[in-house]
Amino acid sequence: MSIEIEIVNGGQSGPLVERLFAQSLTAEEGDAAAWRHIKWADPDLRVLIDAPDGEPACHTGIFFRTVTWNGQKVHVGGIGQVATRPDCRRRGYASIALEAAVRTMRDHDAAQFALLFCEPNMSEFYRSRGWHAFTGAVYAEQPEGRIHFEIMAPMVLDLKRRAPTLGTLDLCGLPW
């Protein structure tokens, strides 16, 4: 079985993944998910993996942003909007998409470390792939202003430098 991995422009490819996002929510998550009211950033790039039926099976968003860590500007790569169709789960698609996204960020000269936000039940998935918990404070923008972003667990990955695990991170924009 061959797997097609495509990295596409984030803005132009949004309509391709709308159906995948709707399909990937389980009944338990639905509208009750704690993060449903959050305004999210749009990805700069998207990793798409198609299922054998030719429809998108898995998506991972890639974000590039200058944030502040303890008041110092630093360029980061972000992972967000990871979604896999329920009928395509447990086949390795998310792992493949995540690895392709990390390789893309490593190739991006400016990204010093990677940052993602995940639900607590997914932290072991990322930890087993080399990510570490960021236990400091995270701030993000929302339409109503700057908020302490505590809805999802932040995790970091070393890229060009060792990723911080403590301190204060300001996303200087919408979360991803």
Side-chain angles (χ1 to χ4, degrees):
M1 173 177 96
S2 70
I3 295 177
E4 288 284 324
I5 302 170
E6 188 175 9
I7 300 178
V8 298
N9 179 288
Q12 297 172 348
S13 59
L16 290 173
V17 294
E18 287 174 7
R19 185 166 171 229
L20 171 64
F21 289 152
Q23 291 172 329
S24 69
L25 284 178
T26 64
E28 304 84 63
E29 293 168 337
D31 291 329
W35 45 263
R36 296 289 282 175
H37 70 284
I38 297 293
K39 171 102 171 101
W40 300 98
D42 289 325
D44 296 303
L45 299 171
R46 299 176 190 273
V47 177
L48 296 172
I49 297 178
D50 286 344
D53 65 8
E55 292 294 316
C58 184
H59 169 276
T60 298
I62 303 172
F63 303 79
F64 294 106
R65 173 96 52 90
T66 300
V67 303
T68 62
W69 173 62
N70 291 341
Q72 297 180 13
K73 289 183 179 183
V74 63
H75 301 290
V76 300
I79 297 289
Q81 302 177 5
V82 178
T84 305
R85 280 183 7 205
D87 64 319
C88 295
R89 292 182 181 160
R90 314 237 14 110
R91 296 183 189 179
Y93 290 140
S95 294
I96 292 165
L98 180 64
E99 181 57 34
V102 168
R103 270 195 317 265
T104 301
M105 288 188 298
R106 285 190 197 283
D107 291 343
H108 191 276
D109 286 335
Q112 298 297 302
F113 63 90
L115 173 68
L116 64 77
F117 300 95
C118 69
E119 303 223 24
N121 65 326
M122 293 304 298
S123 51
E124 185 52 40
F125 170 82
Y126 293 106
R127 199 177 341 276
S128 70
R129 286 150 182 85
W131 292 77
H132 305 282
F134 179 84
T135 57
V138 177
Y139 293 89
E141 294 298 322
Q142 285 295 283
E144 66 274 12
R146 185 173 183 252
I147 64 165
H148 186 199
F149 190 70
E150 302 177 284
I151 293 169
M152 299 177 99
M155 299 190 80
V156 294
L157 180 74
D158 301 345
L159 294 178
K160 303 264 187 243
R161 63 173 270 188
R162 181 178 217 118
T165 56
L166 293 170
T168 301
L169 250 170
D170 189 330
L171 301 182
C172 301
L174 297 173
W176 54 83

